[in-house]
Amino acid sequence: MQEGKGIIKFFLVAIFLVSALQYFYMLPTRSVEKAADAYAKSVTQGIADLDDQHTQEKAARSAYLDSMSNEVVFSIPMIKKWTYQELKGSQLALGLDLKGGMSVVLQVDLRDFIRSLANDSKDPTFIAALENASRAMAGSQSDYVTLFADAFKAANTDGKKMANIFYANESLREEITIESSDSEVISTIRTKANETVSLTFDLLKERIDELGVIQPNISLDAARDLITVELPGISNPARARAFLQNAAKLEFWNVYRISDAGIGGTFRLADQKLKQINSLKGTEQVEQDAPDFTTSERQEYQYDESGNITDSTTVVDTTFSSQNTLGDSGPLLSKLTVNISATGQATMPPSVMGLAKENERDEVSAMLNNPEIAKMFPKDLVFFWGRSPATGYESLGEDAIPNYELYAIKKDKGNTAPLEGDHVTRASANPNPQSGQIEVSLMMDGEGARTWGQMTTKAANDNNREIAIVLDDKVVSAPRVINPIMSGSSSISGTYTLQEGKDLAKILQIGKLPAKPQIIQETLVGPSLGAENISRSMNAMLIGFGIVILFMIFYYGGGGIVSVLALLLNLFFIFGALASIGTVLTVPGFAGILLTVGMAVDANVIIFERIREELREGKTMLMAIKDGFQHSYSAIIDANVTTILVAIVLAYFGLGPIKGFAVVLIIGVLFSLFTAVLVGRLMIDYWTTGRGKDISFWTGSSQNAFTNINFDWLGKRKMAYTFSGIVILMGIISF
């Protein structure tokens, strides 16, 4: 028995500490959010139009929080540092019905996907099958590939083989042959479709980060190719629609190097120009400071095996004066760490222009896109940021805030990339058998191979220049070209882990099979309605909880106090658990909590009534409590297990509010069993045996508190402690 109590106490303390940590996360973030509110009000207080002021205030608040997203707001010395984004992600998120915002259901357009797999075939049977599948999709729960298979079978009156249509696609020839059956072709299409839907889902998750939405919720229903996106607090639905529905854009671009003429030294000139612009007062213009660096050109030569010069490259060296190096920064260089040391040498890969913190990229981009600054760089230069945080720059002494690389793309043929992702037929990542390095293998179709050969030949002859792989205007990788690649089959190697290599291969495949998500359902919830829902939900929970408290204390006396304490602890654990697993709380979630409260009290009622029966049979208080608990377990477990099984079914098959209700109910029932049965038994044992068998708390002046209503305990000091605990726990929960 004592060993069992020890285990229960261990889990009680562990769960309490974990839950308390989730509540603690709120303190630093609330401080940041209060500062954001104050900042937003200060910058918009002069706007006369109230609607415009409200809009601008929301935008200013979002901009402030975005700028703080990766700033360290709390740290424990020698243990860990937390950024605002990390702390916010560890808190309980509110759904749209509580916070307001935008909810959309997207369906990946597999019609165009299948058409692309068939190389846009004009076969009448194929076209009829697509049309019929699209019409059937409107009233069916099946996925599009299944509907297409059924429609093709119905329309195929002349016994045509599906392989004849899809074998023309080079990317499918490793999976199917001209002799493949229709079921084998459909299986291959289904595999490719699942892959594309998954990639589209991953891409949407990354795009949403650019919208500046705090704690978005995105889920995939793979069985129906549906993606549900909830964007709490979104202020620009039109921009969100464009972000969500755009197809992936994979491109290959030539790049500038930091050593190219007109690049490296121009960053310092641009920084001085910005200092000049910022120092303008009135109409008087301050003269531009004299440059504090010098530039010189030199030639780098390439030689063949006989020592003959085969090519040359002009390199611009920049040397800064010892009195004013890059450390003496203006507005640009205070945000951007340029890839040039004080001696004029590059400290990073030559295709990288510099590094900037994640929350300062927008400021750097705004400065570089200033018309006065942009004209200082080559006309065909466009700056792109890296897609993922940079690695390998620990020697620069940066802190934990992620840094991103800045690249200079050479758009020498207008806005069209020399090569786009639709020419990629296959991409995979595997270790090199000889070197052990992770390599990403890339295969192009015929047209892509010709263009790729031209690009790689030019890059290899230009001092082994890099080529940037760009997804949605973000540089995924910029591998260096060692030799011309004429076959269309190439490999990209680097310091990749296996997972990083697989991620790059997946990105390269996004452009291979286009699938554009379409919005099929959209809901907008205003913030005022969300606030009203919060108020009503909290009122319902508090009123219901208050009634339960009064009834339990009035009817069961001391036993009621135990049930109330267990119930408060249950709520404390529920909210902590929901926050720790990243659950989004909605109005149905509140309903699940209320149902949990009722079920928790139901367990106590079963236990206390059973104890009363044991007392009426003449047993002592301690024996009645022991037998009452033991004889109540079966009824309590039966009721709660059946509830959990139903909730699991709802969580598995349900979406949105139904799934949220089920998840909250499962967590609530589990903690109800723990608190009402196990923790409740610990508290009762404490009062009846742990204090020298002092059972006056239960019996008072009458026979016992389970058979008669007794108010004698109200004046006792132990009740003051008990109610103090209740008040403290309720305060924590409401906070």
Side-chain angles (χ1 to χ4, degrees), residues 286-329:
V286 179
E287 293 185 2
Q288 182 175 343
D289 296 335
D292 55 358
F293 60 89
T294 59
T295 60
S296 60
E297 294 185 357
R298 58 183 173 84
Q299 296 293 322
E300 285 190 354
Y301 298 98
Q302 295 179 5
Y303 303 89
D304 59 18
E305 295 179 355
S306 301
N308 300 318
I309 296 176
T310 59
D311 197 4
S312 64
T313 302
T314 301
V315 178
V316 179
D317 290 328
T318 305
T319 304
F320 295 90
S321 64
S322 58
Q323 292 80 13
N324 196 358
T325 66
L326 281 173
D328 183 16
S329 303

Side-chain angles (χ1 to χ4, degrees), residues 325-337:
T325 66
L326 281 173
D328 183 16
S329 303
L332 176 61
L333 299 187
S334 63
K335 306 288 185 183
L336 178 69
T337 303

Side-chain angles (χ1 to χ4, degrees), residues 139-355:
S140 174
Q141 293 296 315
S142 298
D143 64 274
Y144 190 86
V145 176
T146 301
L147 294 175
F148 168 75
D150 295 339
F152 187 89
K153 183 178 180 180
N156 188 18
T157 57
D158 54 359
K160 186 178 302 181
K161 294 190 65 173
M162 196 178 290
N164 294 334
I165 298 174
F166 290 93
Y167 186 71
N169 190 320
E170 294 181 23
S171 65
L172 297 180
R173 291 182 181 174
E174 292 188 0
E175 287 83 7
I176 63 174
T177 67
I178 198 67
E179 301 298 330
S180 297
S181 64
D182 287 358
S183 60
E184 290 174 335
V185 174
I186 288 298
S187 177
T188 299
I189 294 175
R190 179 70 266 176
T191 300
K192 298 292 185 182
N194 289 339
E195 178 185 271
T196 300
V197 171
S198 178
L199 291 172
T200 303
F201 175 69
D202 293 339
L203 182 62
L204 282 176
K205 289 195 294 185
E206 296 180 1
R207 282 182 177 173
I208 289 171
D209 292 339
E210 300 180 27
L211 291 172
V213 178
I214 300 297
Q215 293 177 294
N217 181 36
I218 177 170
S219 59
L220 171 65
D221 180 6
R224 288 175 287 177
D225 303 320
L226 296 178
I227 300 173
T228 303
V229 180
E230 292 184 350
L231 306 173
I234 190 71
S235 58
N236 191 340
R239 180 168 175 257
R241 292 187 199 100
F243 261 76
L244 296 175
Q245 293 189 105
N246 286 340
K249 184 176 63 173
L250 181 65
E251 301 169 321
F252 298 82
W253 290 98
N254 297 310
V255 299
Y256 278 99
R257 283 179 167 177
I258 192 69
S259 58
D260 290 341
I263 304 297
T266 307
F267 281 99
R268 184 60 176 172
L269 290 173
D271 188 56
Q272 291 182 345
K273 182 67 175 179
L274 287 166
K275 290 171 66 176
Q276 173 190 348
I277 293 173
N278 293 341
S279 65
L280 293 178
K281 296 181 181 180
T283 58
E284 182 180 358
Q285 183 171 335
V286 179
E287 293 185 2
Q288 182 175 343
D289 296 335
D292 55 358
F293 60 89
T294 59
T295 60
S296 60
E297 294 185 357
R298 58 183 173 84
Q299 296 293 322
E300 285 190 354
Y301 298 98
Q302 295 179 5
Y303 303 89
D304 59 18
E305 295 179 355
S306 301
N308 300 318
I309 296 176
T310 59
D311 197 4
S312 64
T313 302
T314 301
V315 178
V316 179
D317 290 328
T318 305
T319 304
F320 295 90
S321 64
S322 58
Q323 292 80 13
N324 196 358
T325 66
L326 281 173
D328 183 16
S329 303
L332 176 61
L333 299 187
S334 63
K335 306 288 185 183
L336 178 69
T337 303
V338 179
N339 185 13
I340 301 178
S341 67
T343 59
Q345 301 300 314
T347 58
M348 310 170 200
S351 59
V352 177
M353 301 294 105
L355 294 175

Side-chain angles (χ1 to χ4, degrees), residues 614-627:
E614 302 295 336
L615 288 170
R616 282 194 289 267
E617 292 180 2
K619 294 182 179 181
T620 64
M621 173 67 73
L622 296 180
M623 185 59 66
I625 291 174
K626 178 182 178 181
D627 292 345

Side-chain angles (χ1 to χ4, degrees), residues 550-572:
L550 292 176
F551 171 79
M552 294 300 291
I553 294 177
F554 179 79
Y555 193 71
Y556 289 110
I561 294 296
V562 171
S563 67
V564 170
L565 285 172
L567 192 56
L568 284 168
L569 199 61
N570 184 25
L571 291 177
F572 183 80

